[in-house]
Amino acid sequence: MTGTGEREARAALCAAAEPGDAFLNRIIDHAGASGALAAIRSGRLPVGLEAGEGEVRRLEQWGIRLRASAPEEDLAVCEEMDVRLVCPGDPEWPTTLDDLGAARPYALWLRGPRDLRHGCLRSVAVVGSRVASAYGLRVAAELGAELAERGWTVISGGALGVDAAAHRGALAADGPTVAVFANGVDVPYPAANGGLFAEMARRALLISESPPGAPPQRLRFLVRNRVIAALSRGTVIVEAERRSGALNTASWARRLGRSLMVVPGQVDSRSSVGCLRLLREDPDAILVTGSGDVIEVVGRIGADLAPPPPSSPVLPRDRLDPATRAVLESLPARGSAGPAQLAAKAGLDLATVNGKLGLLSAGGFIERAADGWRLTRAARSRDY
């Protein structure tokens, strides 16, 4: 367990330096977090540690940022907003982050009831394009829901598009999910996902290397990708354009020795250019088409095998569990129905039906109507 002095020092270091700085981690390894903070305050390196001219300038910059910060207020905000600071050596600290070596976090700010270390024991990162296609959103939501239903934590970055769909899928299945922020855990960014983040703070987990109140910065989005890759046992790229942050996460997964999985996409879709390139050029990239494939890659040998391929084509509704399929089949072919009507027709209690409606909505099967729920145009086709 990290002592109070070291904990306060790491909170201050989070405010003074950018995440994952190799030079600062070298100082921490040499003198501890308290020693590193003392060096920044004094502008002098610890005895026995050498640094280049550029690193000394960085030490001066950290001192300026530290004087402008208020780490004591950050810790006070933690108490007010039920945010906690987790440091290396704490019971909740995932030891997989140590694989990052000189790029490891100094500490993590957490918001939400889930236990981070326990959740990361069986976890998969699902990432992809912010401007995702309908196909990408559906695949991400299905992966999130199916992985969560089988006890796997879904890790992503909370961004628009694929990330948000994966988080929502996991929540719809009442399963664990973790969003890694590039800003403070009390800052809803993007604002369009504010409702999602509020729900995750209540039921799942939001984490960040930046202290509360920190605004998002462009470079931090790339830096946080290493944490997404390190926390998980494997990364799934659902959709990625030619230049995509998801490809940066893929490179970190490879560098850390994690499994890299790719969902194939349409050859004429710009959202799939990055995925198709990975499959063509990276010998370590594994093609996956569903949660069964993913779990076979990252699961225990002999215990988490994907089912054999079916003798007939598998439709999206074929992957639904019996209760979810019963709710889907209770919806009228035309028009809409309310939850109480569906519960009576499916023979299920109202709470179960409401949960399954969220899952079906995330999967693109149904949509809200003025007086209840109705099938989407895609779900009314014979191929869905």
Side-chain angles (χ1 to χ4, degrees):
M1 178 70 71
T2 306
T4 302
E6 285 288 291
R7 183 175 304 279
E8 292 175 347
R10 287 184 179 272
L13 296 177
C14 289
E18 286 300 303
D21 188 284
F23 177 46
L24 180 52
N25 270 319
R26 187 151 59 92
I27 299 176
I28 295 172
D29 288 342
H30 181 83
S34 297
L37 183 60
I40 293 173
R41 284 175 170 159
S42 66
R44 296 190 298 272
L45 288 170
V47 176
L49 187 67
E50 298 181 356
E53 184 177 337
E55 292 173 329
V56 172
R57 282 199 302 269
R58 204 144 75 247
L59 189 68
E60 296 171 355
Q61 293 169 353
W62 294 337
I64 295 171
R65 289 181 59 172
L66 181 62
R67 288 189 290 274
S69 66
E72 299 84 3
E73 294 181 9
D74 296 337
L75 291 172
V77 169
C78 286
E79 296 183 7
E80 295 175 5
M81 299 192 64
D82 200 23
V83 173
R84 58 193 183 276
L85 182 68
V86 176
C87 303
D90 286 350
E92 199 175 352
W93 181 263
T95 55
T96 54
L97 290 174
D98 298 334
D99 294 344
L100 289 167
R104 65 190 176 278
Y106 322 126
L108 288 174
W109 306 83
L110 276 60
R111 185 182 182 192
R114 297 278 185 174
D115 183 280
L116 180 60
R117 181 171 183 171
H118 181 266
C120 290
L121 295 176
R122 285 166 57 89
S123 60
V124 177
V126 179
V127 297
S129 174
R130 288 175 170 81
V131 189
S133 67
Y135 162 80
L137 294 175
R138 177 171 62 80
V139 170
E142 287 180 355
L143 278 174
E146 293 170 3
L147 288 167
E149 284 183 334
R150 297 177 67 174
W152 288 80
T153 299
V154 176
I155 299 176
S156 198
L160 296 172
V162 166
D163 290 18
H167 290 309
R168 289 192 174 101
L171 288 175
D174 198 25
T177 183
V178 176
V180 183
F181 280 7
N183 41 269
V185 293
D186 58 334
V187 179
Y189 183 87
N193 285 346
L196 170 64
F197 298 146
E199 186 67 10
M200 291 186 68
R202 188 176 71 86
R203 297 168 50 196
L205 199 58
L206 309 173
I207 73 172
S208 177
E209 297 177 79
S210 300
Q217 294 185 8
R218 186 175 62 86
L219 290 179
R220 288 181 185 170
F221 286 100
L222 289 177
V223 173
R224 64 93 188 264
N225 289 340
R226 79 197 198 288
V227 176
I228 295 175
L231 287 176
S232 58
R233 294 173 64 170
T235 293
V236 182
I237 311 296
V238 174
E239 280 190 327
E241 298 187 15
R242 187 177 300 276
R243 291 174 59 86
S244 169
L247 298 180
N248 177 261
T249 308
S251 69
W252 273 106
R254 287 195 303 266
R255 197 180 314 179
L256 294 168
R258 307 294 197 264
S259 299
L260 174 60
M261 294 156 282
V262 181
V263 176
Q266 295 176 321
V267 296
D268 59 350
S269 170
R270 62 180 296 178
S271 298
S272 294
V273 170
C275 290
L276 297 174
R277 190 179 72 190
L278 281 173
L279 290 172
R280 184 176 63 249
E281 299 177 359
D282 191 329
D284 295 325
I286 303 168
L287 187 151
V288 293
T289 60
S291 61
D293 294 343
V294 172
I295 294 174
E296 185 172 279
V297 172
V298 298
R300 296 167 297 168
I301 295 175
D304 293 305
L305 297 178
S311 55
S312 59
V314 175
L315 302 179
R317 67 179 61 218
D318 294 332
R319 298 192 179 99
L320 300 176
D321 63 86
T324 306
R325 190 179 301 116
V327 175
L328 178 62
E329 292 174 353
S330 299
L331 277 118
R334 292 289 183 272
S336 58
Q341 294 172 281
L342 297 172
K345 191 171 181 180
L348 299 169
D349 62 88
L350 189 58
T352 298
V353 169
N354 282 326
K356 299 305 182 182
L357 287 173
L359 176 60
L360 290 169
S361 176
F365 292 92
I366 62 174
E367 59 190 4
R368 284 194 179 275
D371 54 352
W373 293 89
R374 65 188 177 196
L375 295 171
T376 61
R377 180 178 297 180
R380 289 198 297 269
S381 72
R382 299 181 64 180
D383 297 328
Y384 202 87

